[in-house]
Amino acid sequence: MLTQEQLLAMSEEDYMNDQQLEFFHNLLVNMKQEIREQIETAREEIGKIEYEADELDKASQEEERRLQLRFLDRQTKLLPKIDEALKRIEDGEFGYCEVTGEPITVPRLLARPTATLCAEEKIRQEQQERNYRDS
């Protein structure tokens, strides 16, 4: 199995070869398992929260609970994206921008293995959203 350093050192001609696909497959499977464990731990912690009579303690506990629920929501939304990325690996579409068809850079995929857009397309999309929001 490739290391991250070996992956980054590979040439452009090797883009999304079997070794790279295996690396990202393992990365995504590990991410999925870690996220499931984090979700379970967070759910257990939320269930253990005991409410205090003191108003300041109540406020602090409510803020902590709100943050944990937000974390759970984000992690829960990430699981289907991981499944989609694993499906793209199976289909041979992983690592390519869904709009332009251009390769997504390896550093971007390492930072966000669920990415479906190359950096340039993502920037363009964000600018369009910002312009739409501002008008």
Side-chain angles (χ1 to χ4, degrees):
M1 166 114 159
L2 289 176
T3 65
Q4 186 170 327
E5 292 77 26
Q6 291 170 323
L7 179 69
L8 290 168
M10 293 181 96
S11 69
E12 289 182 20
E13 291 81 35
D14 292 327
Y15 189 73
M16 288 307 129
N17 64 19
D18 290 341
Q19 288 179 312
Q20 289 182 346
L21 290 172
E22 179 185 6
F23 176 91
F24 283 108
H25 180 270
N26 291 336
L27 179 67
L28 288 161
V29 168
N30 290 336
M31 277 180 64
K32 187 175 178 178
Q33 182 60 36
E34 287 176 20
I35 289 170
R36 284 188 171 150
E37 290 170 6
Q38 291 171 351
I39 288 171
E40 186 58 35
T41 301
R43 285 182 178 156
E44 289 172 7
E45 289 176 10
I46 289 172
K48 291 179 184 177
I49 294 177
E50 296 179 19
Y51 292 96
E52 299 287 329
D54 185 305
E55 291 298 318
L56 289 176
D57 288 342
K58 277 184 185 179
S60 175
Q61 288 172 338
E62 280 301 315
E63 180 64 15
E64 182 179 332
R65 185 172 184 268
R66 186 186 68 76
L67 289 172
Q68 286 177 328
L69 288 171
R70 186 172 177 206
F71 170 79
L72 273 173
D73 183 55
R74 290 178 62 101
Q75 296 299 80
T76 302
K77 288 178 180 175
L78 186 54
L79 286 174
K81 292 180 181 182
I82 291 172
D83 288 334
E84 291 168 9
L86 289 167
K87 178 86 170 94
R88 286 193 306 277
I89 288 174
E90 289 176 21
D91 296 343
E93 298 171 3
F94 182 82
Y96 294 92
C97 180
E98 65 183 14
V99 174
T100 65
E102 294 294 316
I104 300 172
T105 64
V106 171
R108 176 162 166 70
L109 288 171
L110 286 170
R112 187 168 194 88
T114 58
T116 58
L117 300 173
C118 60
E120 295 80 13
E121 186 60 30
K122 184 67 176 169
I123 290 168
R124 191 187 66 72
Q125 186 182 67
E126 288 173 352
Q127 287 173 340
Q128 281 183 332
E129 288 172 5
R130 195 174 311 115
N131 289 341
Y132 180 73
R133 202 175 41 238
D134 292 343
S135 58

